C-alpha cells in the first residue's frame, strides 16, 4: 500500500474519526484544528453530557431519522453504525448508557470523556494535531498539492478532507470556513440555515409563560393550514417563543418562517379525547361548584399557564363554575387541545444545534465521501448538506461519514 500525506481540516467528531482511520492505513495524517482544543462542539452537546449516538440499530430506521438527503447516508451508515460508535468509545475506556428515546450517553455524564476518547483514538492511531486555520488550497494540475494556513504556513498533501462543521454554535469554531473552501474549488453550497433550533412566536401571551416546561404534550406544525409535522413529548416556553426536544425536531420541517404562515398547535391533554376531557372538566367544576373559574383549574393545568388559558377562553375569571355554559366548556376543551401559536422566525443560526444546508450531496460520492469535482478532496460531517432529528443522530452522521472518508482517503 502506498502511504500518502493526508490533511484533515477540522478536529471535530468527523475529522477525528476520519484522521484515525486514515492513520491506521499508514498515511501520514495531520489534523488542522483552529481551536487549541479539538472537538469543542462535541464538548457542549447534550447539555455538556454528550448524546454521542442513538441506539437505533436498524439501518432503515436510522435513515428514517435523517431529514435532509437521507439516502445519501446509506453507504456511510452501512459502514459505521451506532453500535460501532458505542464499541469505539467503550474500547477507548468510556462506558455508555442508554436513556429515553434510545439516546446514548457516557455513564459519567461528562462530554469531556467522549472528547478525550476521540482524540486518543486519533493520536494513538498515528494522527498529528496542528493548531491553525486553512485559508486556501494550492493546486498542481487538477489535484490539491498543499493547504495554505492563515499564518502563511503550507502543508503539502496527497489528499485533503474538509471536516469543518456547519455554522451553528459559531463560538466553538463552526464559522462556515468549509463552505468558503468548497466554493473556491467549484462546489455548490446549499444555503445554510438553522436546524434543531428554537422558534420565535409573536403571540403576546408568550412572555408570560417564560420558563414553563410542558411534558407529555402533543404538537402539530401547520403551514397555511396543512399539517407538516406532528410529535409528542417535552417542550419549553421562553421569552421569545418555544424550545425543547419536540420543538427542535419540528424546526427541521419549517423552511422560511418569515415568509410563510406557520403555526404551532399544542395539545395540552393528548391522553384525553374531546369527550373525555369535557367529562374531566365537568368533574373539576362540580368539585369547585361555587368557586371562581380561575381558581378551578389547578388540578388540570400548571399554575403558570392558568391565567393565559382563562384569558384566551373568553370566560370571565370571576364566573362561578356552576354558571359556565356547555358552549363555554366545549370552547375551553377545544382551546386546551388546540393552543395555537404563530411562528414568525427561527432563532439565530448560532443557537442552532446543527446546520441544514452545506456542500451539495450531488457533488460527493456517497460510497467514499470523495469530491466529484476535485479528485483528491473529501468531505465529512456537518459541512455536507445532511441533517437529522435530535437524539444523537447528527453526531452519528459525523462519525459515519468521517469513518467512510478515512477509509477511502
Amino acid at each position: 500500500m502506498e502511504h500518502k500525506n493526508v490533511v484533515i481540516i477540522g478536529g471535530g467528531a468527523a475529522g477525528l474519526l476520519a484522521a484515525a482511520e486514515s492513520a491506521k492505513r499508514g498515511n501520514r495524517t495531520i489534523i488542522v484544528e483552529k481551536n487549541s482544543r479539538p472537538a469543542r462542539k462535541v464538548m457542549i452537546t447534550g447539555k455538556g453530557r454528550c448524546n454521542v449516538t442513538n441506539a437505533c440499530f436498524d439501518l432503515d430506521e436510522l435513515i428514517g431519522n435523517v431529514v435532509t438527503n437521507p439516502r445519501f447516508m446509506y453507504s456511510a451508515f452501512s459502514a459505521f453504525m451506532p453500535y460501532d460508535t458505542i464499541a469505539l468509545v467503550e474500547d477507548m475506556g468510556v462506558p455508555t448508557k442508554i436513556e429515553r428515546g434510545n439516546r446514548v450517553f457516557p455513564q459519567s455524564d461528562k462530554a469531556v470523556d467522549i472528547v478525550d476518547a476521540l482524540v486518543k483514538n486519533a493520536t494513538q492511531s498515528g494522527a498529528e494535531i496542528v493548531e491553525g486555520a486553512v485559508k486556501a488550497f494550492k493546486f498542481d494540475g487538477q489535484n490539491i498539492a498543499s493547504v495554505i494556513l492563515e499564518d502563511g504556513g503550507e502543508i503539502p498533501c496527497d489528499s485533503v478532507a474538509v471536516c469543518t462543521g456547519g455554522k451553528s454554535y459559531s463560538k466553538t469554531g463552526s464559522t462556515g470556513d468549509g463552505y468558503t473552501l468548497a466554493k473556491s474549488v467549484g462546489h455548490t453550497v446549499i444555503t445554510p440555515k438553522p436546524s434543531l433550533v428554537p422558534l420565535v412566536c409573536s403571540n403576546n401571551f408568550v412572555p408570560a409563560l417564560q420558563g414553563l416546561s410542558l411534558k407529555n404534550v402533543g404538537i402539530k406544525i401547520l403551514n397555511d393550514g396543512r399539517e407538516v409535522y406532528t410529535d409528542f413529548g417535552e417542550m419549553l416556553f421562553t421569552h421569545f417563543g418555544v424550545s425543547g426536544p419536540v420543538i427542535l425536531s419540528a424546526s427541521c420541517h419549517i423552511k422560511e418562517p418569515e415568509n410563510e404562515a406557520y403555526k404551532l398547535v399544542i395539545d395540552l391533554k393528548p391522553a384525553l379525547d374531546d369527550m373525555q376531557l369535557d367529562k374531566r372538566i365537568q368533574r373539576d367544576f362540580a368539585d369547585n361548584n361555587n368557586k371562581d373559574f380561575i381558581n378551578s383549574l389547578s388540578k388540570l393545568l400548571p399554575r403558570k399557564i392558568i391565567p393565559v388559558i382563562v384569558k384566551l377562553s373568553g370566560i370571565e375569571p370571576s364566573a362561578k363554575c356552576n354558571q359556565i355554559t356547555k358552549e363555554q366548556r366545549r370552547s375551553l376543551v377545544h382551546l386546551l387541545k388546540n393552543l395555537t401559536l404563530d411562528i414568525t422566525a427561527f432563532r439565530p443560526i448560532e443557537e442552532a444545534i446543527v446546520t441544514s444546508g452545506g456542500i451539495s450531496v450531488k457533488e460527493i460520492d456517497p460510497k467514499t465521501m470523495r469530491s466529484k469535482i476535485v479528485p483528491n478532496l473529501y468531505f465529512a460531517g456537518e459541512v455536507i448538506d445532511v441533517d437529522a432529528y435530535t437524539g444523537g443522530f447528527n453526531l452519528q452522521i459525523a462519525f459515519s461519514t468521517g469513518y467512510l472518508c478515512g477509509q477511502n482517503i
Side-chain angles (χ1 to χ4, degrees), residues 219-231:
I219 67 154
K220 288 187 291 191
I221 299 292
L222 305 180
N223 183 5
D224 278 334
R226 181 176 59 88
E227 186 178 295
V228 295
Y229 184 70
T230 62
D231 205 350

Side-chain angles (χ1 to χ4, degrees), residues 235-299:
M235 63 168 287
L236 171 72
F237 283 96
T238 68
H239 66 285
F240 56 76
V242 286
S243 187
V246 295
I247 300 301
L248 298 180
S249 290
S251 71
C252 302
H253 298 268
I254 297 172
K255 301 304 178 190
E256 295 181 349
E258 298 87 353
N259 301 324
E260 299 185 51
Y262 283 100
K263 291 186 182 295
L264 166 66
V265 180
I266 304 168
D267 184 347
L268 295 168
K269 295 292 172 183
L272 305 174
D273 63 24
D274 287 23
M275 189 177 294
Q276 291 168 327
L277 181 55
D278 188 34
K279 287 180 179 177
R280 163 69 195 274
I281 291 171
Q282 286 183 63
R283 287 198 302 273
D284 285 357
F285 283 178
D287 292 342
N288 296 279
N289 205 20
N290 293 310
K291 282 189 178 179
D292 293 351
F293 171 52
I294 196 167
N295 296 322
S296 69
L297 301 173
S298 57
K299 289 184 179 178

Side-chain angles (χ1 to χ4, degrees), residues 140-162:
D140 179 8
Q142 286 187 309
N143 287 304
I144 298 168
S146 62
V147 298
I148 310 298
L149 304 182
E150 284 187 348
D151 65 5
E154 187 172 335
I155 304 175
C157 58
D158 297 298
S159 295
V160 183
V162 174

Side-chain angles (χ1 to χ4, degrees), residues 153-379:
E154 187 172 335
I155 304 175
C157 58
D158 297 298
S159 295
V160 183
V162 174
C163 308
T164 50
K167 290 191 79 171
S168 56
Y169 289 127
S170 58
K171 290 178 182 175
T172 65
S174 297
T175 52
D177 303 359
Y179 305 142
T180 305
L181 290 170
K183 281 182 180 177
S184 74
V185 298
H187 270 279
T188 304
V189 175
I190 307 302
T191 303
K193 74 176 185 70
S195 189
L196 299 183
V197 68
L199 301 172
V200 178
C201 299
S202 60
N203 310 73
N204 58 13
F205 59 80
V206 165
L209 298 176
Q210 180 180 352
L212 174 63
S213 177
L214 298 176
K215 296 182 178 179
N216 304 320
V217 294
I219 67 154
K220 288 187 291 191
I221 299 292
L222 305 180
N223 183 5
D224 278 334
R226 181 176 59 88
E227 186 178 295
V228 295
Y229 184 70
T230 62
D231 205 350
F232 172 87
E234 189 174 342
M235 63 168 287
L236 171 72
F237 283 96
T238 68
H239 66 285
F240 56 76
V242 286
S243 187
V246 295
I247 300 301
L248 298 180
S249 290
S251 71
C252 302
H253 298 268
I254 297 172
K255 301 304 178 190
E256 295 181 349
E258 298 87 353
N259 301 324
E260 299 185 51
Y262 283 100
K263 291 186 182 295
L264 166 66
V265 180
I266 304 168
D267 184 347
L268 295 168
K269 295 292 172 183
L272 305 174
D273 63 24
D274 287 23
M275 189 177 294
Q276 291 168 327
L277 181 55
D278 188 34
K279 287 180 179 177
R280 163 69 195 274
I281 291 171
Q282 286 183 63
R283 287 198 302 273
D284 285 357
F285 283 178
D287 292 342
N288 296 279
N289 205 20
N290 293 310
K291 282 189 178 179
D292 293 351
F293 171 52
I294 196 167
N295 296 322
S296 69
L297 301 173
S298 57
K299 289 184 179 178
L300 187 67
L301 296 169
R303 179 180 55 80
K304 197 162 197 172
I305 203 172
I306 290 173
V308 171
I309 293 298
V310 168
K311 186 172 183 179
L312 292 174
S313 73
I315 302 171
E316 280 296 321
S318 58
K320 302 301 180 188
C321 290
N322 58 15
Q323 295 175 340
I324 294 173
T325 67
K326 181 192 290 187
E327 287 73 22
Q328 287 177 314
R329 200 180 65 239
R330 286 183 175 170
S331 176
L332 175 61
V333 167
H334 184 268
L335 173 62
L336 296 175
K337 300 286 286 181
N338 297 274
L339 179 60
T340 302
L341 283 74
D342 299 313
I343 301 167
T344 54
F346 295 124
R347 288 294 285 175
I349 196 167
E350 290 79 13
E351 294 180 27
I353 293 176
V354 296
T355 308
S356 180
I359 315 300
S360 172
V361 297
K362 294 176 182 176
E363 299 166 358
I364 302 171
D365 181 352
K367 294 180 179 177
T368 62
M369 297 295 128
R370 185 162 76 107
S371 163
K372 294 180 180 179
I373 295 173
V374 180
N376 67 337
L377 176 62
Y378 294 74
F379 298 100

